[in-house]
Amino acid sequence: MHEKTSSTSSSPSSSPPTAPTESEGGREYAVDLHDVRKSYKGKVHALRGIEMKAQRGEIFGLLGPNGAGKSTLVKIMLTVVRPTRARGTILGRPIGHQATLRRVGYLPEKHRFPIYQTGRQAIEFVGAMSQVDAKTCRNKADELLDLVGMSDWGDKKVSTYSKGMLQRVGIAAAMVNDPDLVVLDEPTDGVDPVGRKDIRDVLVKIRDRGACVFLNSHLLSELEMVCDRVAILVQGEVAAQGTIEELTSASRRYEITIAGSPPDWTDHNGLSLTSLPGPLDGTSTLALPTAEANEIQDILDQLRRENRTIVSLRPVRETLEDLFMRYVHDPETGRAKAPGAIRNIQASKGGDA
Amino acid sequence: MRQTVALFVDAYRELNHRRLFWITIVLSGLVVAGFAAIGNDEEGLTVLHWSIPFPFVSTNFIPEADFYKFTFAQLGVGYWLAWIATIIGLVSTASIFPDFVDRGSIDLMLSKPIGRARLFFTKFLTGLMFAGLQVTVFTLASFLVIGLRGGDWEPWIFIAVPLVLVFYSYLFAVQAAIGLVTGSVIASVIGVFLFWFVVSLVQTGDGITLAWRITNEISSERKIVRVEKQEGRVMDTSARLVDLRLAADGGDAEAADQLPELELELVNKRERLDTITFELAEEIETLDLSQSINGWFHIANTCLPKTSETIDLLARLLEDYAGLMRPAAPADDTVRQFGEMVGRGEFQERFDAELDASHGPFWILGTSLGFEALVLGFAVWRFRRRDF
């Protein structure tokens, strides 16, 4: 449990190059994690064997309740926190490979630029630390300030910035090295709705450039709008992972709202109906557990034969929030799982030692 | 290299942002202006165009160039740079490491392609910029004053730059380690001043107990000579008594008459010998105690950085290489110190010899830098192992 794999304990410069791992679609995995574990003093298990993959050219959302281990996982990827155990690669190199960090951009949660820097200086400084040459840094700073809508503020001290402006400059700084992987921890924290839209547009641009955007956020609606794939982390484990389409496919159904009471039949050609109260008085809703439109045509015909008025027909699927709530609730008790990391006493019950 | 330059440029921006840095530079300017305003002539001290009759600093006693060099080494460096500017510097740089390891800023730094050890040491070196710039500006200005006013363009005074920087680095290493471990500015400030106080106490203790030890050594040596002389007197008297007894036994009436007087004299001399032998035993006991206490202080001083002694090296180096006049040897009169009467000249000569032997420049700098290396080693070990 507590042993360190060679990929994390060996010095970065001596790590052997690893062949880029490819996804089924042929794209290189930007993040390919296996058995990532982190425990503190052997008692608190923040991460319990994370398996996660994110491809280049996609926006990957990491979500989970407070204390699920999201930030710890991100920090392990970026060498800020040392894992208890970790296998896998970041941009095709072992986790902890220092030179690879030149190709990674990062916006930490609640990041803080020194108050004596201007926005431009902050971006250029981050670029210099990523070993980007001075001329490129200057050019990129102009370009990125423009991209995040901060051109007029670039030469003002960051101490005069609002929270949203700091986030914008932080995102610009995360992109100064033209990264192949951009890790953003709560990027829209404190940003107004217009700013969020701008940031979403920026994320899409980064993705379209071929980079992987690894997004850690509490704002499920934001993630749903922009993410290609998501992973839900609960109590240090990946509870679910995939495209939103894949994760919600089981919940896809059609809902037909009709005037009056529901029909007395509950099954038609093998398709069972569930009756629900309608959205308006004097209406009923019929839920049909299928995603195929042709399967509901007979039911619509039957309803018309019974002279029922069809008020609405709509395909329905779980939202990301529904999905999230499903995974963070204990199916046995029906209550939300305890927040935070697993302690030994709980881990032994859960079979994790 | 790109990262190192960026860290230094950023450190300069940080310094530039701090008011205390500029306040200290302005104060340094005032100190140098004051330095330029004073001088000495045949009558004594001069301040601008006023002359103050103070013969001990007149050019008859101390040449003009030496007056400036002495003032630079003792007042400019000894008091201004080594005390006041250092205190301001330590207050000003106290937040560097706590800010550095603060959540939100350290995450970003550690996610960059730079090793933690290199990051720590570069940050440490950037923190020394405060002292480095201050001492360089001050020394350069002083060089000009000594050249223009004293007529001696002495390049050796620039030795003050590395010396003051090394001195400051002992304290800044401790401050950096405390800041890194605690993340607290207040703990950094209080911790480093407390440490400086303890170090100063140990250095003072080492000096005082060395003086006590040497005083006891001189006193004991004198006492040993007195005992030996007294033993000689006793033996001489004993021999005379034996001869006298033989003469008396041979019928010499005069010898027989002298016998009681000589026997009494021998008894008195033996009593005197017993007394001073007892006093010697006491002296040796005190000497053992002083040697033991001085030994412990010296061990403690060896383990800790020698702040004052590092600064004092400047005067020594200027005396050795820049022709700065050495202080005149004290008159060889006898004074009472530590309850014993010792010759000032003899004491000073032996004290200086002991200092040269056990407090040489290599010992001062070597052991101090060794301590600093240990502190920085601990800090970097902690920094490399820590999760943020």
Side-chain angles (χ1 to χ4, degrees), chain A residues 127-143:
Chain A
M129 293 308 292
S130 298
Q131 297 178 335
V132 179
D133 67 84
K135 192 180 169 194
T136 311
C137 269
R138 275 195 296 276
N139 295 338
K140 287 294 291 182
D142 286 335
E143 182 191 315

Side-chain angles (χ1 to χ4, degrees), chain A residues 36-340:
Chain A
V36 178
R37 291 170 185 269
K38 177 67 185 178
S39 48
Y40 293 96
K41 295 177 181 174
K43 290 177 183 169
V44 180
H45 302 282
L47 296 175
R48 300 187 294 154
I50 299 292
E51 304 281 335
M52 195 176 285
K53 290 175 196 290
Q55 294 174 347
R56 295 180 69 161
E58 76 173 10
I59 300 177
F60 186 91
L62 181 62
L63 49 149
N66 289 337
K70 303 186 299 295
S71 289
T72 304
L73 181 63
V74 164
K75 286 180 178 184
I76 285 174
M77 286 163 52
L78 294 157
T79 73
V80 179
V81 166
R82 299 176 321 137
T84 305
R85 181 182 182 131
R87 286 189 294 116
T89 59
I90 300 292
L91 297 172
R93 298 285 182 143
I95 300 167
H97 185 252
Q98 216 168 73
T100 305
L101 296 173
R102 291 170 70 170
R103 298 161 56 205
V104 179
Y106 178 39
L107 172 70
E109 185 185 9
K110 295 187 175 68
H111 73 284
R112 217 168 52 87
F113 289 123
I115 54 168
Y116 51 83
Q117 289 180 340
T118 64
R120 183 185 305 281
Q121 286 169 348
I123 294 169
E124 288 181 9
F125 178 68
V126 172
M129 293 308 292
S130 298
Q131 297 178 335
V132 179
D133 67 84
K135 192 180 169 194
T136 311
C137 269
R138 275 195 296 276
N139 295 338
K140 287 294 291 182
D142 286 335
E143 182 191 315
L144 291 167
L145 282 167
D146 188 42
L147 182 73
V148 298
M150 290 287 291
S151 294
D152 294 340
W153 285 80
D155 293 318
K156 293 191 170 59
K157 290 271 192 315
V158 295
S159 55
T160 62
Y161 288 5
S162 67
K163 186 79 195 295
M165 292 160 97
L166 283 171
Q167 289 299 96
R168 285 167 186 251
V169 171
I171 291 170
M175 293 164 59
V176 67
N177 53 335
D178 273 334
D180 294 320
L181 169 65
V182 185
V183 181
L184 306 173
D185 207 345
E186 304 290 356
T188 52
D189 189 19
V191 182
D192 60 32
V194 177
R196 285 181 191 176
K197 169 75 171 62
D198 291 345
I199 289 174
R200 281 201 303 273
D201 292 344
V202 170
L203 299 185
V204 170
K205 280 182 189 167
I206 302 172
R207 178 192 61 190
D208 292 346
R209 208 170 44 75
C212 171
V213 180
F214 197 96
L215 207 54
N216 181 9
S217 176
H218 281 106
L219 297 172
L220 302 178
S221 56
E222 295 282 326
L223 290 175
E224 188 159 21
M225 273 187 264
V226 79
C227 286
D228 300 302
R229 292 174 69 242
V230 295
I232 300 175
L233 215 59
V234 182
Q235 291 185 331
E237 285 180 325
V238 177
Q241 184 172 195
T243 63
I244 295 174
E245 184 71 20
E246 285 165 0
L247 296 176
T248 57
S249 62
S251 70
R252 285 176 68 181
R253 63 186 187 276
Y254 276 95
E255 284 185 1
I256 305 169
T257 302
I258 57 171
S261 56
D264 49 6
W265 40 273
T266 56
D267 186 284
H268 192 274
N269 291 345
L271 193 64
S272 59
L273 276 71
T274 308
S275 299
L276 305 164
L280 302 167
D281 283 346
T283 62
S284 309
T285 296
L286 308 176
L288 305 166
T290 178
E292 304 301 325
N294 59 346
E295 288 183 22
I296 63 165
Q297 299 307 317
D298 286 350
I299 291 172
L300 290 173
D301 292 344
Q302 178 64 29
L303 289 169
R304 288 193 188 286
R305 277 197 291 277
E306 291 179 8
N307 289 325
R308 289 180 181 273
T309 305
I310 297 172
V311 178
S312 68
L313 166 65
R314 62 189 184 109
V316 174
R317 70 166 198 197
E318 270 185 325
T319 62
L320 193 56
E321 187 170 331
D322 297 331
L323 187 71
F324 178 80
M325 295 311 284
R326 180 148 59 87
Y327 282 109
V328 300
H329 276 79
D330 190 327
E332 288 177 13
T333 63
R335 287 190 294 189
K337 289 176 182 169

Side-chain angles (χ1 to χ4, degrees), chain B residues 111-320:
Chain B
S111 71
K112 297 298 158 197
I114 182 169
R116 288 194 183 196
R118 190 178 147 211
L119 183 61
F120 174 83
F121 283 118
T122 311
K123 195 72 189 169
F124 177 74
L125 289 177
T126 64
L128 290 179
M129 269 176 69
F130 185 100
L133 287 174
Q134 295 286 352
V135 66
T136 304
V137 168
F138 183 80
T139 307
L140 184 64
S142 300
F143 174 74
L144 294 174
V145 168
I146 294 169
L148 293 170
R149 297 271 287 148
D152 188 1
W153 299 93
E154 180 53 69
W156 267 98
I157 73 155
F158 284 101
I159 197 71
V161 177
L163 276 180
V164 173
L165 210 50
V166 163
F167 151 81
Y168 190 81
S169 74
Y170 308 151
L171 299 172
F172 187 58
V174 172
Q175 190 177 53
I178 296 171
L180 189 82
V181 172
T182 65
S184 160
V185 178
I186 293 172
S188 295
V189 173
I190 294 173
V192 75
F193 284 130
L194 206 60
F195 173 77
W196 195 6
F197 176 69
V198 170
V199 160
S200 300
L201 274 186
V202 170
Q203 283 172 105
T204 308
D206 191 15
I208 290 173
T209 54
L210 177 64
W212 182 35
R213 194 191 93 193
I214 288 170
T215 304
N216 281 322
E217 279 173 1
I218 294 171
S219 174
S220 299
E221 284 165 15
R222 280 191 185 162
K223 201 111 304 166
I224 287 167
V225 170
R226 283 178 63 192
V227 168
E228 284 171 354
K229 279 185 181 168
Q230 192 64 23
E231 281 173 345
R233 287 191 196 108
V234 169
M235 284 174 69
D236 185 47
T237 308
S238 297
R240 278 172 49 211
L241 190 61
V242 170
D243 291 344
L244 210 59
R245 277 193 182 131
L246 286 173
D249 289 346
D252 186 341
E254 193 181 346
D257 287 345
Q258 288 175 355
L259 261 178
E261 191 183 341
L262 198 60
E263 280 170 350
L264 184 63
E265 187 183 330
L266 181 62
V267 168
N268 287 341
K269 283 181 177 170
R270 279 193 172 138
E271 278 177 0
R272 180 70 189 137
L273 176 63
D274 288 345
T275 303
I276 59 174
T277 304
F278 178 73
E279 284 173 4
L280 175 62
E282 280 186 331
E283 291 273 349
I284 287 172
E285 204 174 304
T286 310
L287 176 63
D288 286 345
L289 182 67
S290 65
Q291 280 174 336
S292 171
I293 292 175
N294 178 239
W296 284 111
F297 265 107
H298 191 62
I299 288 168
N301 199 11
T302 303
C303 296
L304 293 169
K306 279 131 297 272
T307 49
S308 314
E309 288 177 272
T310 301
I311 292 298
D312 291 345
L313 280 178
L314 179 65
R316 281 212 229 177
L317 288 168
L318 290 182
E319 284 166 11
D320 289 347

Side-chain angles (χ1 to χ4, degrees), chain B residues 67-130:
Chain B
F67 172 80
Y68 282 107
K69 283 185 215 167
F70 181 80
T71 310
F72 168 74
Q74 297 298 326
L75 302 180
V77 175
Y79 285 95
W80 168 245
L81 285 182
W83 282 100
I84 303 166
T86 298
I87 289 169
I88 298 172
L90 288 171
V91 170
S92 188
T93 56
S95 64
I96 287 180
F97 273 87
D99 284 351
F100 175 60
V101 297
D102 194 24
R103 287 245 159 95
S105 65
I106 189 66
D107 306 44
L108 194 59
M109 295 301 282
L110 294 181
S111 71
K112 297 298 158 197
I114 182 169
R116 288 194 183 196
R118 190 178 147 211
L119 183 61
F120 174 83
F121 283 118
T122 311
K123 195 72 189 169
F124 177 74
L125 289 177
T126 64
L128 290 179
M129 269 176 69
F130 185 100

